[in-house]
Amino acid sequence: MPVPAAIEDYGFIGDLQTGALIGRDGSVDWLCLPRFDSPACFAALLGDENAGRWRIAPVDAATASSRRYRGETLVLETTWETPDGTVQVVDAMPPRGDAADLVRVVRGVSGRVRMRSDLRLRFDYGHVDPWLTAHERSVTGVAGPDAVQLSADVPLRIRDGDVSAEVEVSAGESCAFVLTYHPSHLPAPRPADPDRALHDTEDFWARWVEQADYDGRWRDAVVRSLIVLKALTYAPTGGIAAAATTSLPENLGGVRNWDYRYCWLRDAAFTLQALVSTGFVDEARAWRDWLLRAVAGDPADLQIMYGLDGTRRLGEYELPWLAGYENSRPVRVGNAAAGQYQLDVWGEVLDCLHVARESGIAPMTEAWELQRALLDFLEGAWDQPDNGLWEVRGPRRHFVHSKVMAWAGVDRAVRAVEEHGLEGPVERWRALRDRIRADVLARGFDERRGTFTQFYGSEGLDAALLLIPRVGFLPWHDPRVVGTVEAVQRELSEDGFLLRYRPEADGRVDGLPGDEGVFLACTAWLADALHGIGRHEEAVEVFERLLDLRNDLGLLSEQYHTGLRRQLGNTPQAFSHFALVNAARRLSGAPTTTAETPRGGTSGPGEEQHP
């Protein structure tokens, strides 16, 4: 059976509630309905075509000649040039109305080309064959709670559980197919009108992009990344998915395969910073409201991640019937990291709410009450070891980045009182901020090597240390910052890109076997950090190397294998795209934010202040 394509060979479309991956061969190999985190009805991405897919392509052609998004939209246009002529398939998912629709329109460009549609619908990640029923110009597949209807301009045939059709198109002719989801206990909705759906989808994205206020050197890359970030937003609640997929491996053939179809508070906070800084304030307001609902309750029970609707229970389990992407097993659904203690998340949330306030979003009493409750928890928990930014499954440690973000969270509360007139025990918070800073400087910095370390007493480094000056903990020109940037670049670089850490360091800090690729967001952080310490030309070189890793549609997954020259990990990855946006802004001369101005500048014990 055919195997899935390389990760970079997939395009992405979505309707702000779910998304589909479409290969260069015209096959939809991944689609979860009705939401990002629902079971997939096309899961060939994690096995083969028996797990479900939908391919539309010329009968005698394998891969397309070219593809592109139509302008600054999420409408995908794939072109085949064949001996008989040229044909296009236009794919779109219109922003969700009453139902989820996947629209595929075949259009003749020249000559006369014979096209074939092959749909193999398999619910529950390829585990359940639906009951297929033929109607006039449509077929309905039902299994348990789910139903999908395929409508077409041509007759559809059912054979051995598959639905197929053939059509010949000449220049100027077209043929449309529409796949529509609905709960099986409800009547089937009216399928989207294909021409109107394409028009409305293009119009939606064009109007949304008009809000972007970035017009710098890398506008095309930034706008494409912003579109991806918006497309990963779950519109009904304002939650933001970290990626559209599960179990795409960080190490081909290995076990580092995770489900990223949920809302990490950290990722969502970074995403909102990227969107707000480029003019998209409505998304920040929606996320703030989602956050207040999701984390309501005891701040000690704050989770690092939630379902897109705020669901707390995200139990991890495996799908043994799927072989995994290129035999990378296990295939996982859910994520056990939801139960981890990651101290930095409290700081990320407090920082994000600070950014929202600075952006002019109207304050809410509930938002400030939440922040005060989070501060109460931080005050008693900041000195405890945690699992860290990278969700290590080894022992908890005193991760330096986690402590710095705890400091940042307290700092933002102090600023809320000082700069916005909100009420709180500011003297106590100032003292707490100073204690955390002194602890980090005394225990997290290696004087001999001239660098901060991954955790207290560690021999290893961590790319997240590059964020220390970005959150205002120390100024860029501080020798400890410069030494850390240089050490991270020297010790974590792989062929000009950056690992997040060395898995083998400190007795395998993450508790997992195997290695992984370079982490794309960390390479953006390196470019940003080099710029911050005054090495602008080198920063631009690093950043443009990162841009070269995007696929032909401008998409990035989580990681990259420099030897195989292939993308790795779940895709499209919000972490990679928001890091790209933020680095591009700063390298283009975006003004320094208040968050980057060092505060709480008391020295630690025996510590001199650097100018």
Side-chain angles (χ1 to χ4, degrees):
M1 290 293 180
V3 297
I7 292 171
E8 59 269 23
D9 284 339
Y10 284 102
F12 171 67
I13 61 173
D15 66 355
L16 307 182
Q17 296 191 38
T18 191
L21 295 190
I22 306 173
R24 292 179 184 271
D25 62 350
S27 180
V28 181
D29 284 353
W30 183 254
L31 175 63
C32 300
L33 289 170
R35 308 188 333 180
F36 286 110
D37 54 357
S38 299
C41 62
F42 300 137
L45 179 69
L46 299 178
D48 59 28
E49 62 184 23
N50 288 323
R53 69 163 190 169
W54 181 17
R55 183 170 189 253
I56 299 180
V59 171
D60 298 322
T63 59
S65 306
S66 64
R67 59 183 180 170
R68 66 182 183 109
Y69 287 115
R70 287 185 169 179
E72 295 177 334
T73 77
L74 210 60
V75 177
L76 180 63
E77 185 179 273
T78 305
T79 301
W80 280 266
E81 296 177 359
T82 77
D84 298 320
T86 300
V87 67
Q88 293 177 339
V89 175
V90 183
D91 293 311
M93 296 187 73
R96 186 81 59 92
D98 296 330
D101 294 298
L102 170 54
V103 177
R104 313 194 72 184
V105 177
V106 178
R107 289 185 170 170
V109 177
S110 66
R112 187 166 182 83
V113 183
R114 187 180 176 196
M115 300 289 289
R116 182 177 176 88
S117 167
D118 285 303
L119 181 142
R120 179 167 292 181
L121 189 65
R122 298 292 184 266
F123 290 107
D124 192 25
Y125 304 100
H127 194 237
V128 177
D129 293 0
W131 182 266
L132 298 177
T133 305
H135 311 281
E136 184 179 357
R137 295 285 172 95
S138 70
V139 170
T140 299
V142 176
D146 302 305
V148 167
Q149 177 177 286
L150 176 64
S151 305
D153 291 339
V154 293
L156 301 169
R157 297 185 298 275
I158 301 174
R159 181 177 179 181
D160 297 330
D162 296 343
V163 182
S164 64
E166 289 192 6
V167 60
E168 290 189 357
V169 290
S170 300
E173 296 179 342
S174 65
C175 176
F177 299 80
V178 180
L179 189 75
T180 305
Y181 173 88
H182 65 95
S184 61
H185 66 281
L186 297 177
R190 182 185 297 275
D193 175 82
D195 291 334
R196 183 173 182 81
L198 292 181
H199 175 271
D200 289 349
T201 305
E202 287 192 65
D203 183 63
F204 169 85
W205 287 107
R207 285 187 290 107
W208 185 81
V209 166
E210 285 179 354
Q211 302 172 68
D213 60 11
Y214 175 84
D215 196 28
R217 175 175 175 180
W218 300 285
R219 176 181 164 81
D220 288 348
V222 167
V223 168
R224 180 52 53 194
S225 290
L226 290 170
I227 289 171
V228 169
L229 294 174
K230 175 64 173 178
L232 290 172
T233 300
Y234 184 64
T237 66
I240 300 173
T245 58
T246 179
S247 299
L248 290 181
E250 299 168 3
N251 180 28
L252 290 174
V255 301
R256 296 170 179 259
N257 319 313
W258 317 111
D259 193 347
Y260 277 14
R261 298 170 298 154
Y262 307 112
C263 185
W264 270 254
L265 297 188
R266 179 192 305 109
D267 294 32
F270 278 136
T271 298
L272 262 297
Q273 290 171 11
L275 289 169
V276 166
S277 67
T278 49
F280 298 97
V281 176
D282 288 344
E283 285 72 18
R285 184 178 293 106
W287 183 81
R288 182 198 61 183
D289 295 345
W290 174 90
L291 175 70
L292 293 175
R293 295 190 301 270
V295 307
D298 187 344
D301 294 331
L302 181 76
Q303 294 186 181
I304 65 159
M305 57 189 282
Y306 296 84
L308 298 171
D309 58 359
T311 298
R312 286 176 170 264
R313 297 189 182 276
L314 304 176
E316 183 175 298
Y317 60 94
E318 299 175 3
L319 305 181
W321 60 86
L322 289 176
Y325 182 87
E326 295 195 13
N327 294 311
S328 302
R329 300 176 183 172
V331 172
R332 294 183 173 95
V333 171
N335 200 309
Q340 286 188 350
Y341 172 49
Q342 297 177 21
L343 175 66
D344 71 290
V345 169
W346 276 261
E348 302 287 4
V349 170
L350 288 162
D351 185 45
C352 186
L353 291 171
H354 173 79
V355 170
R357 186 181 297 113
E358 292 279 300
S359 301
I361 295 175
M364 292 176 61
T365 301
E366 296 89 340
W368 180 236
E369 290 175 351
L370 169 64
Q371 290 169 83
R372 292 194 58 168
L374 294 176
L375 262 294
D376 289 342
F377 176 81
L378 267 183
E379 189 169 13
W382 72 268
D383 58 353
Q384 300 300 307
D386 74 318
N387 297 100
L389 167 73
W390 306 123
E391 303 179 351
V392 301
R393 299 202 175 194
R396 290 180 178 178
R397 313 273 192 169
H398 291 281
F399 287 100
V400 171
H401 172 264
S402 296
K403 305 297 188 191
V404 169
M405 289 313 303
W407 174 92
V410 180
D411 176 73
R412 304 318 185 247
V414 171
R415 296 188 189 198
V417 175
E418 293 177 343
E419 299 168 8
H420 295 276
L422 298 175
E423 294 186 0
V426 67
E427 291 299 331
R428 196 175 85 215
W429 289 343
R430 289 192 189 109
L432 174 61
R433 180 177 64 181
D434 289 347
R435 286 199 305 275
I436 298 173
R437 184 178 187 275
D439 190 68
V440 173
L441 294 178
R443 303 173 63 194
F445 186 77
D446 186 331
E447 293 281 357
R448 177 180 60 84
R449 297 157 64 198
T451 180
F452 286 95
T453 59
Q454 184 173 31
F455 55 85
Y456 291 174
S458 171
E459 292 297 318
L461 297 179
D462 188 331
L465 299 171
L466 299 173
L467 301 176
I468 287 175
R470 183 56 62 198
V471 299
F473 186 82
L474 286 174
W476 285 106
H477 56 74
D478 190 294
R480 292 164 292 191
V481 169
V482 176
T484 298
V485 173
E486 292 175 345
V488 167
Q489 182 183 29
R490 180 176 61 250
E491 297 187 26
L492 297 184
S493 287
E494 292 268 342
D495 297 325
F497 304 99
L498 211 63
L499 298 165
R500 50 183 177 172
Y501 56 88
R502 295 276 179 189
E504 68 275 12
D506 297 302
R508 302 205 69 85
V509 62
D510 62 16
L512 294 167
D515 297 320
E516 60 181 28
V518 296
F519 202 84
L520 300 182
C522 295
T523 301
W525 292 348
L526 177 60
D528 188 13
L530 290 170
H531 171 72
I533 65 172
R535 291 158 56 179
H536 180 73
E537 291 184 6
E538 185 180 358
V540 170
E541 291 176 3
V542 170
F543 182 67
E544 294 192 333
R545 280 201 299 269
L546 172 64
L547 294 183
D548 288 343
L549 300 188
R550 296 173 302 149
N551 73 0
D552 57 313
L553 297 172
L555 305 182
L556 289 170
S557 65
E558 180 184 34
Q559 300 185 17
Y560 187 79
H561 193 298
T562 58
L564 297 176
R565 304 179 67 83
R566 289 184 57 182
Q567 292 189 16
L568 298 174
N570 287 302
T571 195
Q573 176 74 222
F575 219 103
S576 300
H577 284 283
F578 64 63
L580 185 157
V581 171
N582 289 333
R585 286 184 57 255
R586 288 155 184 156
L587 267 60
S588 299
T592 300
T593 68
T594 57
E596 296 169 40
T597 305
R599 292 292 185 96
T602 57
S603 297
E607 188 73 32
E608 66 174 333
Q609 275 294 342
H610 291 266

